Amino acid sequence: MTLITNHMPTAELQALDAAHHMHPFTNGDELNAKGARVITRAKGVTLTDSDGNEILDAMAGLWCVNLGYGRDELAEAAARQMKELPYYNTFFQTTHVPVIALSERLAQLAPGDLNHVFYAGSGSEANDTNIRLVRTYWAQKGKPDKNIIISRKNAYHGSSVGSASLGGMQGMHAQGGLPIPDIHHINQPNWWAEGGDMTPEEFGLARAQELEEAILELGEDRVAAFIGEPVQGAGGVIVPPETYWPEIQRICDKYGILLIADEVICGFGRTGQWFGSQTYGIRPHIMTIAKGLSSGYAPIGGSIVCDEVAEVMNACEFAHGYTYSGHPVACAVALENLRILEEEGIVDRAGSETAPYLKQKWEGLVDHPLVGEAKIAGLMGSIALTPDKATRAQFAADAGTAGLICREECFANNLVMRHVGDRMVISPPLVITKPEIDTLIDRATTALDAAHARLQDEGLMKAAS
Ligand SMILES: *Cc1c(COP(=O)(O)O)cnc(C)c1O
């Protein structure tokens, strides 16, 4: 057996990775031809790779390391719990202290009467729970036909069969026979790309009103729920116009359909308050949580459910659950994460100090010749790359060509910024400091300059006709 350690040469690690590891959302041949970057350790907002590069992680891993890397308290909480009770299930009339404590904590943190938690191992699993939960809820209320869930194009709700069906990613639907029946997708509130001649406010209203049109078309007695991310994350950090969520809320109220806020990214401080629903004035019946719940230190997700929905569900046996629902180690880690986020005032500071500072710098990027719009909500931001700002043009080249070039230039400048098509997105750890934000913006600017030069050299600064 080979002992594989951090001290192996990068090329050997890459060769072993290529031989045996299949990466998510990756063309394996392309990656294996060049070799994956090997990340070996991290502290605060900084990653170190196997060649010793120090990289500013402006994505907090995959939108999840809200607390930043290297907090020993979480490792210790995990170790303590593993020694005391590494595992026990909650299926058969048993419970345990970490799951009790975390549930009570979440009920306190969550707005309104969202007081009950059903656990999962991830955001995808939690959204699968939500599909079955809302349908079962209506069946319990004598309306088994009320089972259509309305979602949005370009939404991301996970990668399992159910959650990817809820999501509105065409590329995902094209593989494996998705979506499952009775999921309906309306258009997204992406003004930059789709707003045409409307003002953002008009456009936000129009896109929200598509929900009402869909309800009327499908039949009020068929629609169970609407699901949306307060701010679409993986879709490219699409910050909705201000008019959007109030109108969605009005429509959900009017027709009495359940509102699910997918808070997997927006939750736990990302938008500057504990939950995106608070930032956008949404009153959901169910919130999906994962990612920042444990700052990514342990896999855990869940659905926080309001009193009325819990009351209906508790009156039946919901034949659903995961071996790792309420896993004690993951719960202990999440609890410690929440304690630190709260006691150190990290969420409050992110909202009141860090977010305004980042906003001012980030929005300044709109002056760059390659950038059409710069949007930000708390500590999640995006910029749209464009060959022509005035007309909000897309590139003539395939979508994502310019974005990929820009991302490569970011990596070359020791900055992790992701691209979604030709939008660049950031979602740094909430603990990022003002000097680190300055570094982020400097590196992003250098990368944008380099990407712009490359696009010009390669004749790619051409608008699609
Ligand atoms: C990441 C994500 C999910 C899926 O979570 P996993 O833990 O990857 O399964 C669901 N919803 C949103 C909004 C996400 O960003």
Side-chain angles (χ1 to χ4, degrees):
M1 201 178 80
T2 341
L3 182 64
I4 299 170
T5 74
N6 264 355
H7 302 291
M8 268 187 153
T10 300
E12 275 180 49
L13 290 166
Q14 288 172 330
L16 285 164
D17 187 72
H20 304 297
H21 175 203
M22 298 174 77
H23 290 247
F25 286 97
T26 299
N27 180 310
D29 288 342
E30 273 172 30
L31 175 67
N32 295 342
K34 60 179 182 184
R37 195 181 274 252
V38 183
I39 306 300
T40 51
R41 53 178 60 85
K43 184 93 191 156
V45 301
T46 308
L47 309 167
T48 305
D49 72 11
S50 55
D51 295 329
N53 294 306
E54 302 216 318
I55 309 158
L56 196 161
D57 183 8
M59 281 307 297
L62 263 180
W63 323 81
C64 55
V65 189
N66 291 14
L67 187 58
Y69 299 92
R71 291 297 300 240
D72 288 345
E73 300 94 320
L74 272 64
E76 281 150 19
R80 264 197 315 276
Q81 188 56 47
M82 279 204 189
K83 290 180 196 171
E84 198 164 291
L85 179 72
Y87 178 76
Y88 203 70
N89 75 76
T90 54
F91 282 31
F92 305 120
Q93 325 262 304
T94 54
T95 190
H96 51 72
V97 175
V99 81
I100 297 170
L102 181 61
S103 306
E104 191 259 356
R105 195 77 212 82
L106 287 170
Q108 279 179 9
L109 280 175
D113 66 349
L114 292 159
N115 287 322
H116 314 268
V117 193
F118 194 104
Y119 290 96
S122 66
S124 302
E125 288 179 4
N127 278 325
D128 276 19
T129 297
N130 291 338
I131 294 172
R132 297 191 60 204
L133 194 151
V134 299
R135 290 175 175 174
T136 307
Y137 165 90
W138 287 114
Q140 281 296 110
K141 293 180 65 125
K143 297 182 176 170
D145 294 332
K146 216 164 149 63
N147 58 6
I148 298 177
I149 302 171
I150 300 177
S151 177
R152 294 153 334 148
K153 294 176 186 164
N154 198 38
Y156 188 80
H157 297 298
S159 191
S160 58
V161 171
S163 62
S165 296
L166 281 183
M169 300 290 178
Q170 273 177 1
M172 293 177 76
H173 289 177
Q175 296 174 327
L178 307 187
I180 59 169
D182 293 329
I183 310 282
H184 182 87
H185 296 89
I186 59 175
N187 284 304
Q188 60 171 337
N190 181 349
W191 176 79
W192 165 264
E194 301 173 7
D197 294 334
M198 285 188 224
T199 65
E201 291 70 28
E202 288 164 353
F203 178 72
L205 268 185
R207 283 289 157 101
Q209 282 159 1
E210 286 193 19
L211 175 60
E212 187 155 26
E213 288 155 24
I215 294 170
L216 294 174
E217 180 194 311
L218 296 163
E220 207 180 321
D221 50 347
R222 290 291 327 276
V223 179
F226 172 77
I227 183 168
E229 306 154 78
V231 177
Q232 289 156 263
V237 184
I238 310 300
V239 182
E242 278 173 19
T243 47
Y244 183 76
W245 276 111
E247 184 68 0
I248 291 282
Q249 182 71 57
R250 179 191 72 75
I251 295 164
C252 289
D253 290 347
K254 176 170 173 191
Y255 295 96
I257 68 170
L258 296 175
L259 175 49
I260 308 169
D262 186 338
E263 294 268 4
V264 170
I265 289 176
C266 293
F268 307 102
R270 179 57 56 201
T271 67
Q273 300 194 52
W274 277 91
F275 295 97
S277 293
Q278 293 161 323
T279 304
Y280 290 92
I282 308 165
R283 295 186 312 281
H285 298 91
I286 300 172
M287 293 197 315
T288 320
I289 54 171
K291 296 195 171 116
L293 168 59
S294 67
S295 284
Y297 282 59
I300 182 168
S303 308
I304 315 186
V305 174
C306 71
D307 287 342
E308 199 263 335
V309 171
E311 195 181 307
V312 170
M313 292 304 293
N314 282 336
C316 73
E317 178 181 329
F318 186 28
H320 177 73
Y322 307 103
T323 300
Y324 299 136
S325 288
H327 191 285
V329 177
C331 287
V333 170
L335 201 56
E336 185 65 0
N337 172 56
L338 298 181
R339 183 189 70 75
I340 298 174
L341 285 176
E342 190 166 31
E343 284 181 15
E344 294 186 5
I346 292 168
V347 172
D348 291 343
R349 194 167 58 250
S352 62
E353 287 176 38
T354 320
Y357 187 78
L358 178 62
K359 179 179 163 75
Q360 181 236 331
K361 301 252 162 180
W362 186 256
E363 289 179 346
L365 291 175
V366 80
D367 296 331
H368 192 279
L370 189 54
V371 177
E373 75 164 355
K375 299 296 278 186
I376 192 149
L379 291 191
M380 61 196 292
S382 59
I383 49 182
L385 307 183
T386 177
D388 183 3
K389 293 169 188 263
T391 58
R392 306 209 306 266
Q394 313 282 329
F395 289 91
D398 288 347
T401 308
L404 181 64
I405 288 174
C406 187
R407 202 205 59 176
E408 283 174 2
E409 295 300 336
C410 289
F411 244 126
N413 280 287
N414 288 329
L415 173 68
V416 177
M417 178 152 77
R418 190 169 144 190
H419 79 104
V420 177
D422 294 319
R423 283 185 93 85
M424 305 304 298
V425 301
I426 57 163
S427 169
L430 304 184
V431 296
I432 192 169
T433 62
K434 289 178 181 174
E436 287 164 343
I437 289 173
D438 295 343
T439 304
L440 189 166
I441 299 292
D442 283 350
R443 290 183 187 174
T445 306
T446 308
L448 283 167
D449 289 344
H452 189 216
R454 258 177 79 184
L455 289 165
Q456 280 174 326
D457 288 351
E458 294 174 27
L460 292 171
M461 285 298 287
K462 278 207 292 275
S465 47

